[in-house]
Amino acid sequence: MSQHPFPKVTVWNEGKHEKISKEIRELYPDGMHHAIAKYLKEKGLSVKTATLDEPEHGLTNDVLADTDVLTWWGHMAHHEVSDKVVERVYRRVMDGMGLIVLHSGHMSKIFRKLMGTGCMLNWREAGEKERIFVVEPGHPIANGLPASFEIEHEEMYGEFFDVPAPETLVFISWFKGGDVFRSGCCYRRGKGKIFYFRPGHETYPTYYHPQVLQVIYNAILWAAPGSGPAIQTGHCPVPFEPLE
Amino acid sequence: MSQHPFPKVTVWNEGKHEKISKEIRELYPDGMHHAIAKYLKEKGLSVKTATLDEPEHGLTNDVLADTDVLTWWGHMAHHEVSDKVVERVYRRVMDGMGLIVLHSGHMSKIFRKLMGTGCMLNWREAGEKERIFVVEPGHPIANGLPASFEIEHEEMYGEFFDVPAPETLVFISWFKGGDVFRSGCCYRRGKGKIFYFRPGHETYPTYYHPQVLQVIYNAILWAAPGSGPAIQTGHCPVPFEPLE
Amino acid sequence: MSQHPFPKVTVWNEGKHEKISKEIRELYPDGMHHAIAKYLKEKGLSVKTATLDEPEHGLTNDVLADTDVLTWWGHMAHHEVSDKVVERVYRRVMDGMGLIVLHSGHMSKIFRKLMGTGCMLNWREAGEKERIFVVEPGHPIANGLPASFEIEHEEMYGEFFDVPAPETLVFISWFKGGDVFRSGCCYRRGKGKIFYFRPGHETYPTYYHPQVLQVIYNAILWAAPGSGPAIQTGHCPVPFEPLE
Amino acid sequence: MSQHPFPKVTVWNEGKHEKISKEIRELYPDGMHHAIAKYLKEKGLSVKTATLDEPEHGLTNDVLADTDVLTWWGHMAHHEVSDKVVERVYRRVMDGMGLIVLHSGHMSKIFRKLMGTGCMLNWREAGEKERIFVVEPGHPIANGLPASFEIEHEEMYGEFFDVPAPETLVFISWFKGGDVFRSGCCYRRGKGKIFYFRPGHETYPTYYHPQVLQVIYNAILWAAPGSGPAIQTGHCPVPFEPLE
């Protein structure tokens, strides 16, 4: 019934931490992207993965043309992402591709370009408890969730989060150390839908957490492209109505 | 894959104009609700109808409990809708039922209660041309639409429209007589999603217009209830975290 | 330079707790309204007070006609506020009067009427610590504030808060017991601006807290009426432009 | 009473059309910036002007540090604005400087960077009538305006306008040729407030129109910086609360 019952997903991961750190590799032997991709496949989605070190970061024109929703995790190598690929992803978002930005992806070139702000925040790596509250219980990204859920150990991200006010704020996080954070933020840019989701530090098993995975899945369905009108702008010399 | 692949729809109509006016009856021999319901059934939805003159206006507890999305058309008899039924519909919206308010339904008791404002507007019955522009081409309610579409003859509704700023504004109307109108307005109240859609004066064949019907269909899919957490509020004497 | 350099404020208080409880009377010997009014007068505003037990709750037509911004605190006696006075306040908000709803005022008749939702929330009286974060540092309601500030002992209000998504969310609260709350919420209804501000339980000296008072003052300036067009709606038989 | 009772304004103009075209020079002998600046001075503001051809486009660090609100008109030479100056203006907006983007400034580097979208639209130069409707009568940018006002001859800008949904939409335009446009759009980025205002084609006397000038003045007051907290983000190793 929906135009995109089975969105095609590309799970993008910088993929550096997993190579460098034995501890992280033990958590995610094939990289965080594989943990996410495995879950999404089990839910019935069509899923590819791509990483920084592949040619064109795995995001060729063909791959992007065949992607309905792109998920993005990056941290230590944002600057290594080529401007050309950023521009390519940007064009696809304008054209309707969904984009799910995960955790430290807040400082990625593509997210900052789409937001128009610095996108920085406060942070602390202390493995503290996070509790995520649903503040839009009727939103599709809240499907299947309880009123709140906990992540036992996570990096802290705290306000102020330097983004435009989200068009819809779905989640707010509580942290044991005394901070709060707007953890689930919906935006629209061009024809594309964007969702920022906070959790996912590389040293914790966050991408095995059932509610975290549920949110990513929900967000993908929400961000899948629709079949609204193409963006066509420019000179329109002939008016709809006579001017005399 | 969606929680509600086939939302159950109840199409509610005041149903008075069709009984009183021969001209309107010729346009809509079985009432506007049947024109809308027929289209929705052809699209594969499960559809009931209900009207003002039925016991409890056709909106019994059982009917509403079995309704995912309710569409509402009223005009000359808003005051005849019982406060008890309004309260019942309101409770269901809080609980997640979608509500699509059509045209003169802007002055219905239920819409005004949900908006918290007067909901009045400027109007003129002159059969003038309306052109509806999509201003959120990536929104699911714009699915299948062109950048703009026309209705040859409609009642004019003009700004100021006394509603809260819509959370998402999907359509803006142009009228030949010189007015504009926010014609497609999304709101969330409790767990329920609400969409106001402007066209639909009883003396014109608007509910046979393919794009108008497409919008109603799209809005129903958008407004269908999700499976987010129930709204449970009240006294929480036991904190999540120890207070000492 | 501003149209309303010195808004006239009416500080409304239910005023029941202070009469019943010796402890609360010791905190607020003349009632919470006097603590708030005293501060606002010191800031140079023109301030009146009004309470539930006065005739017409102190909110006569004359008083409201001479009020630019009304602040509202109520808790145990929401049901004693007459519907006639609620309607009168509502009309003034539609016409541009600002309304600052404080703490337990979230369940007042006037706030619920303006929101269109149940306005309930989770709560706990345990005197726990609250920390309030600014999430819109450029908003005038954040003037003079630090990035966050603490209230040592307060009643907890936790999500889900059953209101429409605020048009602008200015503050988020962290609570020691593990909850978060959207503590500063801006709305527009008719020509009126509304600000909900969370803190202010009657058993704590919250209305002596410098940042809490600063926020109330800022919100009054923000909510003061402008000089935009009056809301005039209805039949407009003569179009702006010729229809032929 | 306000923190910025007299915002310091810099009126920036590309200033090319006035040099090239005799017709435009007759309309604006000293450039459009002087027409705008003259009005703002008469309203009591402190006003400077700056143009593209000045060193650093007249927007040195010193000038910007002394500017509360910057207005921006550009059209044929957006590409000649140096990236260094764009970055400088961007930093000041992040830090709280207001930015009023006028007419063809929608395609300026600074506006596109702040929006994160293409910012293109439909257009037609046919000197057709525009009627601008207030859709937020309580907003300070609507101060002193009627419910709608007309500009006899203007360039047409029509939807789709490729910007993020405005946080507050204040105006909608009607055009005789059959188009509509979101003509008054408020945004917040970092600590800065941004207002886009549609009218102002160089070949018409739009910047002598009393309501157009009133809107620019109102927008400057609205966009003036507040005294909220500075944006300070980064590593916060010491939590507010003990983690054990």
Side-chain angles (χ1 to χ4, degrees):
Chain A
M1 212 159 74
S2 152
Q3 276 76 8
H4 285 265
F6 292 98
K8 297 178 197 170
V9 183
T10 299
V11 176
W12 193 86
N13 183 16
E14 187 180 275
K16 292 271 188 192
H17 289 284
E18 298 91 332
K19 292 180 181 166
I20 292 167
S21 157
K22 194 184 159 215
E23 287 73 17
I24 295 170
R25 202 161 50 242
E26 281 175 356
L27 268 175
Y28 298 107
D30 302 306
M32 285 178 280
H33 50 301
H34 275 282
I36 295 168
K38 182 168 177 285
Y39 169 83
L40 296 176
K41 283 175 189 164
E42 289 166 8
K43 297 288 278 188
L45 300 187
S46 167
V47 185
K48 283 187 287 281
T49 62
T51 56
L52 183 69
D53 288 345
E54 298 174 39
E56 305 185 50
H57 315 322
L59 299 174
T60 60
N61 278 319
D62 284 355
V63 165
L64 286 176
D66 199 41
T67 299
D68 290 318
V69 182
L70 177 68
T71 76
W72 192 278
W73 196 104
H75 181 219
M76 61 186 287
H78 292 314
H79 58 288
E80 293 184 30
V81 178
S82 85
D83 291 342
K84 193 176 158 188
V85 169
V86 171
E87 184 66 22
R88 196 183 281 165
V89 172
Y90 172 80
R91 293 280 159 212
R92 279 287 294 134
V93 172
M94 292 300 109
D95 194 40
M97 184 183 74
L99 179 69
I100 314 297
V101 176
L102 297 171
H103 190 61
S104 44
H106 70 91
M107 286 300 282
S108 62
K109 288 180 178 179
I110 182 63
F111 188 60
R112 295 171 76 185
K113 181 176 173 71
L114 289 162
M115 293 296 103
T117 59
C119 297
M120 196 47 193
L121 42 78
N122 290 311
W123 60 275
R124 176 173 57 241
E125 285 190 57
E128 67 202 83
K129 189 191 284 186
E130 174 177 16
R131 183 175 297 104
I132 298 181
F133 288 85
V134 174
V135 297
E136 284 286 354
H139 196 280
I141 295 182
N143 279 351
L145 297 179
S148 70
F149 61 93
E150 294 182 8
I151 306 176
E152 200 53 36
H153 301 289
E154 252 293 345
E155 182 181 13
M156 185 283 290
Y157 278 9
E159 296 286 345
F160 176 65
F161 183 20
D162 186 16
V163 287
E167 289 167 31
T168 309
L169 176 64
V170 183
F171 303 119
I172 297 176
S173 286
W174 176 98
F175 287 95
K176 187 166 176 54
D179 290 273
V180 297
F181 198 73
R182 289 171 291 173
S183 282
C185 299
C186 299
Y187 298 94
R188 243 176 252 120
R189 293 288 184 271
K191 281 191 69 177
K193 300 182 205 76
I194 300 158
F195 184 67
Y196 175 78
F197 189 42
R198 199 215 73 81
H201 194 57
E202 65 273 8
T203 61
Y204 306 110
T206 300
Y207 292 125
Y208 300 110
H209 188 294
Q211 271 92 38
V212 169
L213 291 167
Q214 173 84 53
V215 169
I216 295 172
Y217 172 73
N218 291 345
I220 287 166
L221 295 195
W222 170 80
S227 59
I231 294 179
Q232 286 176 309
T233 51
H235 193 196
C236 296
V238 182
F240 290 106
E241 305 287 327
L243 287 174
E244 301 315 305
Chain B
M1 213 159 72
S2 152
Q3 275 76 9
H4 286 266
F6 294 99
K8 297 178 197 170
V9 183
T10 299
V11 175
W12 193 87
N13 183 15
E14 188 180 275
K16 292 271 188 191
H17 289 284
E18 298 92 333
K19 291 181 183 166
I20 292 168
S21 156
K22 194 181 160 220
E23 286 74 17
I24 296 170
R25 203 162 49 243
E26 280 174 359
L27 267 175
Y28 297 107
D30 302 305
M32 286 179 280
H33 50 301
H34 274 283
I36 296 169
K38 183 168 177 287
Y39 169 83
L40 296 176
K41 282 176 190 164
E42 288 166 9
K43 296 287 279 188
L45 300 187
S46 166
V47 186
K48 282 189 288 281
T49 62
T51 56
L52 183 69
D53 288 345
E54 297 174 39
E56 305 185 49
H57 315 321
L59 299 174
T60 62
N61 279 318
D62 284 355
V63 165
L64 285 176
D66 199 41
T67 298
D68 290 319
V69 181
L70 177 67
T71 75
W72 192 278
W73 196 102
H75 180 219
M76 62 186 285
H78 292 314
H79 59 287
E80 293 184 31
V81 178
S82 85
D83 290 343
K84 193 176 159 187
V85 169
V86 171
E87 184 67 20
R88 196 183 280 163
V89 172
Y90 171 81
R91 292 282 157 211
R92 280 288 293 134
V93 172
M94 293 299 111
D95 196 40
M97 184 182 74
L99 180 67
I100 313 298
V101 176
L102 297 172
H103 189 62
S104 44
H106 71 90
M107 285 300 282
S108 62
K109 288 180 177 179
I110 182 63
F111 188 61
R112 296 171 75 186
K113 181 178 174 71
L114 288 162
M115 294 296 103
T117 57
C119 297
M120 196 46 192
L121 43 77
N122 290 312
W123 59 277
R124 175 174 58 242
E125 284 188 58
E128 68 203 84
K129 189 191 282 186
E130 175 177 15
R131 182 175 299 103
I132 298 181
F133 287 85
V134 174
V135 297
E136 283 288 354
H139 196 281
I141 295 182
N143 279 349
L145 296 179
S148 71
F149 60 94
E150 294 182 8
I151 305 176
E152 199 54 36
H153 300 289
E154 251 293 346
E155 182 180 13
M156 185 283 290
Y157 278 10
E159 296 286 345
F160 178 65
F161 183 21
D162 186 15
V163 287
E167 289 166 34
T168 309
L169 176 64
V170 184
F171 303 119
I172 297 177
S173 287
W174 177 97
F175 287 95
K176 187 167 176 52
D179 290 274
V180 298
F181 197 73
R182 291 171 289 173
S183 282
C185 298
C186 298
Y187 298 94
R188 242 176 253 118
R189 294 289 183 270
K191 282 190 69 177
K193 298 182 206 77
I194 300 157
F195 184 67
Y196 175 78
F197 188 43
R198 199 215 74 81
H201 193 57
E202 66 273 9
T203 60
Y204 305 110
T206 300
Y207 291 125
Y208 300 110
H209 187 294
Q211 271 92 37
V212 168
L213 291 167
Q214 173 85 52
V215 169
I216 295 173
Y217 172 73
N218 291 345
I220 287 166
L221 296 195
W222 170 80
S227 59
I231 293 179
Q232 286 177 309
T233 52
H235 193 196
C236 296
V238 182
F240 289 105
E241 305 288 327
L243 289 173
E244 300 315 306
Chain C
M1 213 160 74
S2 152
Q3 276 75 9
H4 286 265
F6 294 98
K8 297 178 197 169
V9 183
T10 299
V11 176
W12 193 85
N13 183 16
E14 184 180 278
K16 293 271 190 192
H17 289 284
E18 298 92 332
K19 291 180 182 167
I20 292 167
S21 156
K22 194 183 158 217
E23 287 73 17
I24 296 170
R25 202 160 51 239
E26 281 174 358
L27 267 175
Y28 297 106
D30 302 305
M32 286 178 280
H33 50 301
H34 274 283
I36 296 169
K38 183 168 177 287
Y39 169 82
L40 296 176
K41 283 174 190 165
E42 288 166 9
K43 296 288 278 188
L45 301 187
S46 167
V47 185
K48 284 187 287 282
T49 63
T51 56
L52 182 69
D53 289 344
E54 299 174 38
E56 305 185 51
H57 315 320
L59 299 174
T60 61
N61 279 319
D62 284 354
V63 166
L64 286 176
D66 199 41
T67 298
D68 290 320
V69 181
L70 177 67
T71 75
W72 193 278
W73 196 102
H75 181 219
M76 62 185 286
H78 292 313
H79 59 287
E80 294 184 30
V81 178
S82 85
D83 290 344
K84 193 176 158 189
V85 169
V86 172
E87 183 67 20
R88 197 183 280 165
V89 172
Y90 171 81
R91 292 280 159 211
R92 280 288 294 135
V93 172
M94 291 301 110
D95 194 40
M97 184 182 73
L99 180 68
I100 314 298
V101 176
L102 298 172
H103 190 63
S104 44
H106 71 90
M107 286 301 281
S108 62
K109 288 180 178 179
I110 182 63
F111 189 60
R112 296 170 76 185
K113 180 176 174 71
L114 288 162
M115 293 296 103
T117 58
C119 297
M120 196 47 192
L121 44 76
N122 290 312
W123 59 277
R124 174 173 60 242
E125 285 189 56
E128 68 202 81
K129 189 191 283 185
E130 174 177 16
R131 183 175 296 103
I132 298 182
F133 288 84
V134 174
V135 298
E136 283 286 354
H139 197 281
I141 295 182
N143 279 349
L145 297 179
S148 70
F149 61 93
E150 294 183 7
I151 305 175
E152 200 52 37
H153 300 288
E154 252 293 346
E155 182 181 13
M156 185 284 288
Y157 279 9
E159 295 286 343
F160 178 65
F161 184 20
D162 185 15
V163 287
E167 288 166 33
T168 309
L169 176 65
V170 183
F171 303 119
I172 297 176
S173 287
W174 176 98
F175 286 95
K176 187 166 177 53
D179 291 273
V180 297
F181 197 72
R182 290 171 290 173
S183 282
C185 299
C186 299
Y187 298 94
R188 243 177 252 119
R189 294 288 184 271
K191 281 191 70 178
K193 300 183 205 74
I194 300 158
F195 184 67
Y196 174 79
F197 188 43
R198 198 216 73 81
H201 194 58
E202 65 273 9
T203 61
Y204 305 110
T206 300
Y207 291 124
Y208 300 110
H209 188 293
Q211 271 92 39
V212 168
L213 290 168
Q214 173 85 52
V215 169
I216 295 172
Y217 172 73
N218 290 345
I220 287 167
L221 295 195
W222 170 80
S227 60
I231 294 179
Q232 286 177 308
T233 52
H235 193 196
C236 296
V238 182
F240 289 104
E241 305 288 326
L243 289 173
E244 300 316 306
Chain D
M1 213 160 73
S2 153
Q3 275 76 8
H4 285 266
F6 294 97
K8 296 178 198 170
V9 183
T10 299
V11 176
W12 194 86
N13 184 16
E14 186 179 275
K16 292 271 189 193
H17 290 285
E18 298 92 332
K19 291 180 183 167
I20 293 167
S21 156
K22 194 183 158 215
E23 286 73 18
I24 296 171
R25 203 163 49 242
E26 281 174 358
L27 267 175
Y28 298 106
D30 303 306
M32 285 179 279
H33 50 301
H34 275 282
I36 295 169
K38 183 168 177 285
Y39 169 83
L40 296 175
K41 282 174 191 165
E42 288 167 8
K43 298 287 279 189
L45 301 187
S46 167
V47 186
K48 282 188 288 282
T49 62
T51 56
L52 183 68
D53 288 345
E54 299 174 39
E56 304 185 51
H57 314 323
L59 300 173
T60 62
N61 279 318
D62 285 354
V63 165
L64 285 176
D66 199 41
T67 299
D68 291 319
V69 181
L70 177 67
T71 74
W72 193 279
W73 196 102
H75 181 219
M76 62 186 285
H78 292 314
H79 59 287
E80 293 184 31
V81 179
S82 85
D83 290 343
K84 194 175 158 188
V85 169
V86 171
E87 184 66 20
R88 197 183 281 165
V89 171
Y90 171 81
R91 291 283 159 210
R92 280 289 293 135
V93 172
M94 292 300 110
D95 195 39
M97 185 183 72
L99 180 67
I100 314 298
V101 177
L102 298 172
H103 189 61
S104 44
H106 71 91
M107 286 300 281
S108 62
K109 288 181 178 178
I110 182 62
F111 189 60
R112 296 171 75 185
K113 181 176 173 70
L114 288 162
M115 294 296 103
T117 57
C119 298
M120 196 46 193
L121 44 76
N122 290 312
W123 58 277
R124 175 173 57 241
E125 285 190 57
E128 68 202 83
K129 190 190 282 185
E130 174 178 16
R131 182 175 297 104
I132 298 182
F133 287 85
V134 174
V135 298
E136 283 288 353
H139 197 281
I141 295 182
N143 279 349
L145 297 179
S148 71
F149 61 93
E150 294 183 8
I151 305 176
E152 199 54 35
H153 300 289
E154 253 292 347
E155 182 181 14
M156 186 283 289
Y157 278 10
E159 296 285 346
F160 176 66
F161 183 21
D162 185 15
V163 287
E167 287 167 34
T168 309
L169 176 65
V170 184
F171 303 119
I172 297 176
S173 287
W174 176 98
F175 287 95
K176 186 165 176 55
D179 290 272
V180 297
F181 197 72
R182 290 171 290 172
S183 281
C185 298
C186 299
Y187 298 94
R188 242 175 253 120
R189 294 288 185 272
K191 281 191 70 176
K193 299 182 206 75
I194 300 157
F195 184 67
Y196 175 78
F197 188 42
R198 198 215 73 80
H201 194 57
E202 65 273 7
T203 60
Y204 305 110
T206 300
Y207 291 125
Y208 300 110
H209 188 295
Q211 271 91 39
V212 168
L213 290 167
Q214 173 84 53
V215 169
I216 294 172
Y217 172 73
N218 291 344
I220 287 166
L221 295 195
W222 170 80
S227 60
I231 294 178
Q232 286 177 308
T233 52
H235 193 195
C236 297
V238 182
F240 290 105
E241 306 287 327
L243 288 174
E244 300 316 304

